[in-house]
Amino acid sequence: MNRFVICLLALVLGASAAKAEEQSTRPPIGPVLENMLEGYIRPGYAAFEAAASDLETATRTLCRAPSALNLKSARDSFRALAGRWARMEWLRLGPVMSDNRLERILFFPDRKGTGRKQVMRAIASGNEAVTSVDSLAELSVAMQGLGALEYLLFGNGSDALAIGPRFSHRCAFAKAAATNLVNLSGEIIAGWQDGSALVTAFLAPGPDNLLFRTGQEALNLLLGQMIHGLEAVRDIRLSAFLDKQNAARDRPKSALFWCSGITLRSVVANLEGLQALFDESGLEIVSTAMAPRLADTIRFEFGQAIRTAASLDAPVSELLANPEAREKLVYLDYAIKIIIDRLDQEFAQAGGLAVGFSFGDGD
């Protein structure tokens, strides 16, 4: 065997040994996936279902006994439900992605106001199809979920729900929409039950697994969910109403949930949910060898963003009209970008992912 072949063989064997050693030192992904399922996915969707059931009960009570108190109860239940959904909405995986469930729960952005126009037409015409959950579920996705419910409970004419039978059609529409959300949440929960094809694939990466073939692919997917969610909070939620460069181009009525006044509460819940995904999954284990303090740094950055958003609990129009509050909104945008950079660059590198990879871009 000549010297060149011997050297080449040594290089190949050395590289193989190094790769094997690297793989052996990587933490197993299985516990991370189990933690994500048991600590985040299942309890998160269960809480959403419970909140939807509370709203269904509140709207049924309001329709049966119209009053200012019962209308307040329905509105409070809506706000709680919107918050529960905000904690889960960036998990774009599994049954929520089938049968248009994601859009049926929340259709946003709706740049042309399609959903609101459809809801208003249904109210004005007394369309009976919207008062039955079965027929409502077959209509436009924009008429079925949280956007429609917000207008029904908070939009023009909604105060009359406290008066009586004259407004029973609008109330029946709201009740059907709430029941529809109960049904959708139940379908999502069923897809994540033990023994389902999804859970079997989710917990066992392998060469024949259509979800992910390796633990590294699973890690990519989990980290990608977080980064995409953070990008969406900046680029879809905040940018919907905030023009960082020119206050004259702000659009307060383009904000999600501006009518119910919970735009920033929803953003807080978005961020809390994404941090919970990071914490409950135990994802930080992949960075501890190379960057033992990085996870705590990421939590600190989450805390900064969450505190800033929580301090802005007011209608969007008021926030944008107040220079100090508006400056905080601009800072919030920046604070979220810092978390994205930590995850997409430092954490990705520590976990053996490609630095600079943008999950939100779908590259």
Side-chain angles (χ1 to χ4, degrees), residues 56 104 127-141 143-144 172-184 187:
E56 181 186 34
R104 291 165 67 192
N127 184 353
E128 290 299 320
V130 300
T131 65
S132 163
V133 66
D134 292 334
S135 54
L136 178 62
E138 299 297 323
L139 298 178
S140 163
V141 297
M143 299 177 70
Q144 295 185 35
F173 186 176
K175 184 173 66 174
T179 302
N180 186 55
L181 289 176
V182 173
N183 294 344
L184 288 169
E187 292 167 7

Side-chain angles (χ1 to χ4, degrees), residues 185-198:
S185 61
E187 292 167 7
I188 294 170
I189 288 171
W192 286 104
Q193 291 300 310
D194 285 337
S196 68
L198 171 63

Side-chain angles (χ1 to χ4, degrees), residues 22-45:
E22 178 190 356
Q23 290 177 339
S24 67
T25 58
R26 284 181 180 171
I29 196 66
V32 174
L33 298 174
E34 282 191 39
N35 291 340
M36 180 177 172
L37 179 64
E38 299 294 343
Y40 179 76
I41 295 174
R42 285 176 171 165
Y45 283 130

Side-chain angles (χ1 to χ4, degrees), residues 39-262:
Y40 179 76
I41 295 174
R42 285 176 171 165
Y45 283 130
F48 176 62
E49 183 184 43
S53 296
D54 288 344
L55 179 58
E56 181 186 34
T57 298
T59 53
R60 184 184 300 114
T61 300
L62 175 62
C63 296
R64 185 177 63 245
S67 70
L69 182 61
N70 287 338
L71 176 57
K72 180 181 182 303
S73 177
R75 287 172 168 172
D76 288 345
S77 294
F78 170 85
R79 292 186 176 106
L81 176 61
R84 284 299 177 183
W85 176 245
R87 291 180 66 89
M88 299 301 297
E89 69 171 306
W90 304 119
L91 184 67
R92 305 299 172 93
L93 175 69
V96 75
M97 301 304 292
S98 302
D99 297 327
N100 295 319
R101 291 189 183 100
L102 190 70
E103 294 78 12
R104 291 165 67 192
I105 293 172
L106 178 59
F107 183 71
F108 190 88
D110 183 5
R111 294 182 178 88
K112 296 182 179 180
T114 301
R116 177 163 300 197
K117 292 172 185 175
Q118 291 175 345
V119 171
M120 292 172 67
R121 282 197 296 269
I123 294 171
S125 65
N127 184 353
E128 290 299 320
V130 300
T131 65
S132 163
V133 66
D134 292 334
S135 54
L136 178 62
E138 299 297 323
L139 298 178
S140 163
V141 297
M143 299 177 70
Q144 295 185 35
L146 292 169
L149 270 163
E150 184 192 33
Y151 185 80
L152 292 167
L153 294 173
F154 295 88
N156 292 337
S158 61
D159 288 345
L161 287 169
I163 295 175
R166 179 182 170 190
F167 301 95
S168 58
H169 174 269
R170 183 173 188 149
C171 200
F173 186 176
K175 184 173 66 174
T179 302
N180 186 55
L181 289 176
V182 173
N183 294 344
L184 288 169
S185 61
E187 292 167 7
I188 294 170
I189 288 171
W192 286 104
Q193 291 300 310
D194 285 337
S196 68
L198 171 63
V199 169
T200 300
F202 183 79
L203 294 178
D208 298 322
N209 188 326
L210 296 179
L211 192 57
F212 27 64
R213 293 166 295 175
T214 67
Q216 195 75 353
E217 285 188 11
L219 177 61
N220 284 344
L221 180 135
L222 174 50
L223 184 58
Q225 297 285 306
M226 294 181 58
I227 293 175
H228 172 76
L230 289 162
E231 289 174 339
V233 173
R234 287 186 74 223
D235 300 339
I236 299 176
R237 292 293 186 264
L238 294 181
S239 293
F241 64 87
L242 175 68
D243 189 308
K244 296 189 293 291
Q245 306 303 321
N246 187 347
R249 294 202 296 261
D250 288 341
R251 303 165 300 279
K253 290 191 177 181
S254 293
L256 177 65
F257 300 141
W258 71 269
C259 195
S260 54
I262 58 169

